[in-house]
Amino acid sequence: MTLSGALKSSSIISWKSSGRLQQTIRRCVEVSGKGLHSGKESTVKLWPEMAQQGRYFDFHSKCSIPASIDFAQQNSPLCTTLSADRFKVRTVEHLLSALEATRIDNCKIQVFNNDIDSKEDYCDFEVPILDGSAQQWVEAIEKAGLVVAVDESGNSCETMAPYLNEPVYVCKNDSFVAAIPSPNVRLTYGIDFSKACAIGCQWFSLAPLDDSSYAKQIASSRTFCIYEEVEQMHSMGLIKGGTLENAIVCSASKGWLNPPLRFPDEPCRHKILDLIGDLSLFARLGNQGLPVAHVIAYKFEVPLPGEGVSFSI
């Protein structure tokens, strides 16, 4: 069974009250920036939404894509992509990570391309990479504030959380993810980039996961890449918007090219940031996406180190 299938299985998951009410953002938030892969400027608006509507992307009211694993594109190198009909939105993991960690359960997300160069720009979008972390999203959400979400009748709804009943795991190529029953959420990530000595082997574990621990220990960690891989990624049409201002870059021979790091283990912490964004795709109807379990992930070096963990295995 795939991890996606396991976490949607009624026998493996038990939905229980989280002890809190569903929330939404208090007012609209607007953030603009350049896409990591497209290199194009876009603007994202986060809007308050009613209870049990969940998080979803809205494109000019012509198409709506729920932030759900059911709409995750299987072959999406170096980012998480959601698609439906002709529309797709790339690099959603940092934004969704921030929304899940700050408990924005219901939210309408609009993405606008600031410059329309072709017909494809009307249906192909990318969330801005900003500084390569989720810090600016968290700061914008904190500034706007949160409010209890209500449904059309004005009633609040409690948030349900998925509790894992038995261990599950999935392996593919350079990585694996396992989830073990636990009384609370715990995330552990390991990476091994032994050819880049400045990165090497790192492990980081986070528990409990709440908005405070996320903001202090995870949100500011930036995406990273290996300098010797940059030209290959360019040839694949990727990271057109990548710069030393939105990623930390490590050379196999020279070490970090744009220090200082925000944490000694910043790459590993960023993998947890991505993992939270990917796991948030299991959210349903304003309920919690992260399984109440100890989730353990591991990734070792391959020619193209990526952004997150794919659950389309």
Side-chain angles (χ1 to χ4, degrees), residues 39-60:
K40 297 180 179 180
E41 292 282 335
S42 64
T43 296
V44 172
K45 292 184 178 181
L46 308 178
W47 293 92
E49 186 51 278
M50 290 184 174
Q52 296 187 305
Q53 297 302 303
R55 298 181 287 257
Y56 63 93
F57 291 84
D58 177 83
F59 304 102
H60 314 293

Side-chain angles (χ1 to χ4, degrees), residues 129-181:
I129 190 63
L130 304 178
D131 72 343
S133 77
Q135 185 169 15
Q136 190 170 337
W137 295 116
V138 170
E139 291 173 351
I141 291 167
E142 289 179 344
K143 186 176 181 179
L146 283 67
V147 65
V148 172
V150 296
D151 60 20
E152 293 182 350
S153 301
N155 298 317
S156 59
C157 302
E158 68 175 357
T159 302
M160 305 299 288
Y163 280 73
L164 189 67
N165 295 326
E166 59 185 77
V168 294
Y169 73 93
V170 62
C171 303
K172 186 176 182 180
N173 300 331
D174 64 328
S175 58
F176 77 78
V177 184
I180 303 167

Side-chain angles (χ1 to χ4, degrees), residues 28-46:
C28 177
V29 163
E30 181 175 326
V31 176
S32 297
K34 183 182 294 185
L36 174 62
H37 296 300
S38 68
K40 297 180 179 180
E41 292 282 335
S42 64
T43 296
V44 172
K45 292 184 178 181
L46 308 178

Side-chain angles (χ1 to χ4, degrees), residues 3 108 156:
L3 187 60
K108 180 172 76 171
S156 59

